[in-house]
Amino acid sequence: MVEDISDGSSGAFVVDIDGYEGPLDVLLVLAREQKVDLKEISIVQLAEQYLAFVAEVGRTNLELAAEYLVMAAWLAYLKSRLLLPEPAGAEEPSGEAMAAALTFQLQRLEAMRDVGARLMARNRLGQDFFARGRPELLSGNRVTVLRVDLFELLKAYGGHLRRREDVQPLRIPTSELSSVEEALERLRRGLGGFPGWESLWRYLPPGTFEGLNQGRLAARSAFAATFAASLELVKQGRVKLRQGKAYGPIYLKAAGPESDPQ
Amino acid sequence: MTDIDRRHLRMLEAVLFASADPLSERELAQRLPEDAAIPVLLAALKADYADRGVNLVRAGKTWVFRTSPDLAALLSRDKLTERKLSRAALETLAITAYHQPVTRAEIEEIRGVQLSKGTLDVLFDQGWIRPKGRRQTPGRPVTWGTTDTFLDHFGLESLAELPGVDELKMAGLLDARPAIQIYGVTDVPEAEEDEDADEDDADAPSELGQP
Amino acid sequence: MTDIDRRHLRMLEAVLFASADPLSERELAQRLPEDAAIPVLLAALKADYADRGVNLVRAGKTWVFRTSPDLAALLSRDKLTERKLSRAALETLAITAYHQPVTRAEIEEIRGVQLSKGTLDVLFDQGWIRPKGRRQTPGRPVTWGTTDTFLDHFGLESLAELPGVDELKMAGLLDARPAIQIYGVTDVPEAEEDEDADEDDADAPSELGQP
């Protein structure tokens, strides 16, 4: 919501990301903070405001939809284009053209918002003016009219297609989630390679760390599956696990006879 | 008519027009300003409408606008009884529109259920579908398609204006499967095959969404 | 008023008064004798009711009697409870009204965010928007526009009465193309001639005046 952004001198934002309708909406709210006509807006300043906004949301560990990040990247690029001299003979639109396009987009969106509000403020049927409360059917020969409109027709077709889809053989789509079985397999294969205590991290599939940082579901499932698999191997007496303190790193070692003094 | 408050007259007119039920003088008095002289206003309004196509009439203690009785006969060559289309008929119509030219057997095949006798008749009587030709297959079954009356009724300029399957989906008219996507599905079930090979197909829009 | 057929006028009045929903001139013609001069009659009837508590209003190609808007307070008890439109739906409605015919992708371009599934559905269900044709671009996407029901609801005679439509057009803000296309290629802000070749969109924004 608009009111939820305050550009206090402390630099503290209060951000309600759910209140926004996408990155352009955020930009429009930020642009209003410059308190000038949209046509006069400083795009460099706006880019900075937006990047600060995204950083703030990132700092408070809120997840931002990809479109917000794409806009951030584009704005960072645009800012650099505007601040640096234009390369000669560039094929791309100039920094100014890109800035003008953004200004146009903001104006256009704001215009649509305004007219939307003006529409709703009009006298409206059922609110300000009214239909005949007692419509009459004029009598005469009896003709049956089938009552159906385009919406109902399309809805019927949609419903039919859906039901058809429902009776199709069940297809189980491949999932990118990790299974414990896969993790077990990976641990078993890996165990030979590291005779001593080794961090459990090393047994995670490639890319898991990056994925975790981005909060990706697949990475989180890989992490969980690996941990569960390690417990399973302990139960089978195949490995030993060690953890120095709560939330500390977990180490793992094969429990083979040659590495185990007992 | 000089001492009639025009403002009150307009109010009375609007209230009577918008009301779903005939209104008594007491109810009218409750809705209009206190100083409105209801009986005088009613008499004036009744006189205003005396020669019009709509009259203000008194029914017992209540007042109501009604079509002038002498017009009822003139106007209405048809008494419209509106009827809802059955779901079977609605689906049959939609399938005919999207898959035309299409035979009865094909409609049954697509719907996965037999067509009861009257279904095509209802649509035919309404002028929405008509025979289009014959399929060049054993038995040479009749194919069906939609008519201009159909387009007209649904406010379509041409069949090409019917949204395709993808667009129905996007408009929310056709829900996709439950959201398994959340769980990181990589394999999107693809569209089913469709092999309509009709010779008499000339006027069927080829790019209509084929389910 | 001399050449107005009083009998026809009364009939027209009765037909319109009897209906709660707008009727098209064609529907009116079907109800009246063949020699009835519908447009002339409509103009006369509209004038008759101009100062009354009930007015004859035009919405696109349709006509209907409605209570006069200045009597809103009086009729407040008849108010219909309505579902509030979401912000996304309201913006989508405004964009459809001002940019029509417009594709889903263009609406998304203007809002800078994807349209969630039900948004167009809500407006379509409400009878305010409908598919208008197809854009002659790859994929031939369906275009959307507003209906006469929309005009009726918002008390508009035609699209030309949309609030602010002329200023927006002058300001070049009724261009649904991606912004960078408008500025990127030529770098001249005034290069706004829209020569989208929309074959079945003869009723594009240029025609906003005569729906």
Side-chain angles (χ1 to χ4, degrees):
Chain A
M1 304 264 92
V2 173
E3 313 79 71
D4 291 332
I5 285 203
S6 57
D7 190 5
S9 48
S10 61
F13 283 113
V14 182
V15 177
D16 172 12
I17 201 68
D18 290 336
Y20 289 105
E21 294 268 340
L24 263 192
D25 186 26
V26 171
L27 278 171
L28 203 48
V29 171
L30 293 174
R32 292 248 174 72
E33 290 184 0
Q34 290 191 18
K35 300 204 166 60
V36 292
D37 190 283
L38 275 185
K39 272 176 278 183
E40 327 270 288
I41 203 102
S42 156
I43 294 294
V44 171
Q45 194 186 331
L46 185 61
E48 279 162 2
Q49 285 171 285
Y50 184 88
L51 293 173
F53 164 84
V54 167
E56 185 60 27
V57 174
R59 203 182 60 79
T60 50
N61 281 330
L62 286 170
E63 289 189 22
L64 265 184
E67 55 215 17
Y68 290 89
L69 300 173
V70 170
M71 179 61 90
W74 188 79
L75 283 174
Y77 173 68
L78 174 58
K79 190 180 133 194
S80 71
R81 288 288 303 269
L82 288 171
L83 295 177
L84 299 172
E86 287 291 338
E91 304 226 327
E92 281 203 328
S94 68
E96 267 80 47
M98 288 162 72
L102 181 59
T103 307
F104 171 79
Q105 257 182 302
L106 293 173
Q107 282 179 280
R108 183 169 60 180
L109 180 61
E110 187 175 57
M112 288 302 109
R113 291 234 166 114
D114 289 349
V115 294
R118 282 169 76 180
L119 265 184
M120 295 312 280
R122 285 185 67 86
N123 289 323
R124 289 189 291 125
L125 176 62
Q127 304 301 311
D128 307 291
F129 58 87
F130 297 86
R132 174 90 194 263
R134 201 179 162 76
E136 296 171 75
L137 277 181
L138 301 166
S139 58
N141 299 329
R142 205 166 259 283
V143 171
T144 304
V145 173
L146 294 176
R147 186 185 166 79
V148 56
D149 62 21
L150 185 59
F151 178 78
E152 288 171 285
L153 181 73
L154 298 182
K155 191 110 185 153
Y157 194 62
H160 146 72
L161 290 176
R162 185 170 53 233
R163 263 177 286 118
R164 224 162 91 96
E165 245 172 45
D166 285 349
V167 299
Q168 279 173 6
L170 177 63
R171 293 172 47 140
I172 301 188
T174 347
S175 162
E176 55 179 10
L177 298 193
S178 300
S179 69
V180 175
E181 284 73 22
E182 281 165 3
L184 273 173
E185 187 56 37
R186 201 172 48 247
L187 278 171
R188 285 201 194 102
R189 265 189 280 111
L191 274 177
F194 306 107
W197 288 104
E198 195 55 60
S199 168
L200 185 59
W201 298 119
R202 297 192 80 123
Y203 295 91
L204 292 172
T208 303
F209 279 112
E210 295 78 0
L212 280 177
N213 286 336
Q214 292 158 14
R216 302 236 331 263
L217 189 63
R220 277 163 35 209
S221 87
F223 190 71
T226 306
F227 180 62
S230 71
L231 293 180
E232 176 63 26
L233 287 177
V234 169
K235 196 172 132 202
Q236 292 174 10
R238 308 267 309 267
V239 302
K240 296 186 160 205
L241 286 182
R242 190 159 84 187
Q243 184 178 33
K245 59 176 192 307
Y247 303 112
I250 298 172
Y251 294 94
L252 167 146
K253 176 169 102 147
E258 65 277 271
S259 61
D260 190 329
Q262 269 75 19
Chain B
M1 297 274 155
T2 46
D3 55 346
I4 292 290
D5 185 324
R6 291 290 310 169
R7 230 176 77 256
H8 289 167
L9 199 65
R10 291 181 75 233
M11 290 178 171
L12 182 66
E13 190 175 28
V15 168
L16 283 166
F17 173 86
S19 172
D21 301 308
L23 294 172
S24 68
E25 295 186 27
R26 222 192 49 206
E27 288 165 315
L28 290 167
Q30 280 165 4
R31 303 193 58 164
L32 264 66
E34 269 182 35
D35 57 337
I38 305 287
V40 181
L41 291 168
L42 281 168
L45 199 59
K46 186 177 173 187
D48 278 359
Y49 278 89
D51 297 324
R52 306 212 63 116
V54 174
N55 308 139
L56 181 61
V57 297
R58 195 167 72 171
K61 289 185 170 157
T62 61
W63 292 81
V64 65
F65 275 120
R66 261 205 208 123
T67 307
S68 181
D70 67 304
L71 291 176
L74 280 173
L75 284 171
S76 48
R77 37 198 94 145
D78 23 285
K79 167 157 189 171
L80 306 176
T81 40
E82 288 195 331
R83 212 174 73 189
K84 277 245 167 208
L85 207 51
S86 71
R87 195 166 106 182
L90 197 55
E91 275 188 31
T92 302
L93 181 61
I95 288 167
T96 309
Y98 275 90
H99 297 259
Q100 60 188 296
V102 64
T103 67
R104 180 197 185 87
E106 287 162 351
I107 296 172
E108 291 177 338
E109 155 103 33
I110 292 170
R111 291 192 61 229
V113 61
Q114 283 223 325
L115 220 46
S116 72
K117 241 182 171 180
T119 309
L120 284 173
D121 290 345
V122 168
L123 299 172
F124 181 62
D125 288 346
Q126 191 69 26
W128 285 346
I129 65 170
R130 65 180 187 81
K132 281 268 170 158
R134 289 181 180 275
R135 182 69 29 97
Q136 300 309 335
T137 53
R140 298 180 33 83
V142 165
T143 59
W144 294 86
T146 52
T147 62
D148 289 347
T149 312
F150 164 83
L151 293 178
D152 203 45
H153 180 90
F154 291 98
L156 297 164
E157 299 223 327
S158 77
L159 286 175
E161 287 189 4
L162 285 175
V165 169
D166 287 347
E167 280 142 347
L168 291 178
K169 231 175 231 174
M170 304 252 257
L173 289 167
L174 168 58
D175 296 331
R177 291 199 137 225
I180 308 183
Q181 289 98 316
I182 308 170
Y183 300 110
V185 175
T186 51
D187 176 17
V188 180
E190 63 232 85
E192 306 98 86
E193 65 297 325
D194 188 298
E195 69 313 300
D196 275 353
D198 299 321
E199 303 131 38
D200 42 359
D201 214 354
D203 45 359
S206 55
E207 76 293 324
L208 278 186
Q210 282 138 352
Chain C
M1 291 275 161
T2 48
D3 55 348
I4 293 286
D5 184 324
R6 289 295 306 172
R7 221 175 89 256
H8 289 169
L9 195 68
R10 289 182 71 230
M11 290 169 94
L12 181 69
E13 185 178 31
V15 170
L16 283 165
F17 219 93
S19 172
D21 297 317
L23 296 171
S24 69
E25 294 188 21
R26 226 194 42 199
E27 287 168 311
L28 293 171
Q30 281 167 1
R31 301 299 202 89
L32 264 69
E34 268 180 37
D35 57 339
I38 307 282
V40 181
L41 293 168
L42 283 168
L45 200 58
K46 186 179 174 189
D48 280 0
Y49 277 88
D51 296 327
R52 306 208 63 115
V54 174
N55 309 135
L56 180 60
V57 297
R58 176 166 82 90
K61 289 179 172 151
T62 61
W63 294 80
V64 66
F65 275 115
R66 298 286 185 233
T67 62
S68 186
D70 64 298
L71 299 173
L74 179 75
L75 296 164
S76 58
R77 78 166 64 174
D78 296 319
K79 266 195 193 183
L80 305 173
T81 46
E82 52 173 13
R83 244 186 334 176
K84 204 171 179 318
L85 279 186
S86 69
R87 242 176 91 190
L90 178 55
E91 279 179 34
T92 301
L93 179 64
I95 291 167
T96 309
Y98 284 78
H99 286 85
Q100 61 187 298
V102 67
T103 66
R104 179 195 186 84
E106 288 162 350
I107 295 171
E108 292 178 340
E109 162 72 26
I110 292 171
R111 297 190 62 234
V113 68
Q114 285 218 326
L115 219 47
S116 71
K117 242 182 187 165
T119 310
L120 283 173
D121 189 33
V122 166
L123 299 173
F124 191 18
D125 191 12
Q126 192 82 16
W128 287 347
I129 66 169
R130 61 178 216 89
K132 278 275 170 153
R134 286 173 181 278
R135 180 73 28 99
Q136 297 308 96
T137 52
R140 298 182 30 87
V142 162
T143 59
W144 296 82
T146 52
T147 61
D148 287 345
T149 308
F150 162 83
L151 294 176
D152 179 34
H153 183 90
F154 290 97
L156 299 161
E157 276 208 354
S158 74
L159 292 174
E161 287 190 354
L162 283 173
V165 69
D166 291 333
E167 298 99 276
L168 291 179
K169 205 188 277 180
M170 298 265 275
L173 290 172
L174 296 189
D175 192 332
R177 285 179 298 165
I180 197 70
Q181 236 177 56
I182 298 170
Y183 287 93
V185 188
T186 63
D187 213 349
V188 179
E190 283 93 83
E192 244 126 68
E193 224 36 64
D194 190 340
E195 71 285 288
D196 271 359
D198 300 325
E199 96 180 348
D200 35 6
D201 292 346
D203 47 354
S206 55
E207 195 251 14
L208 276 175
Q210 66 261 185

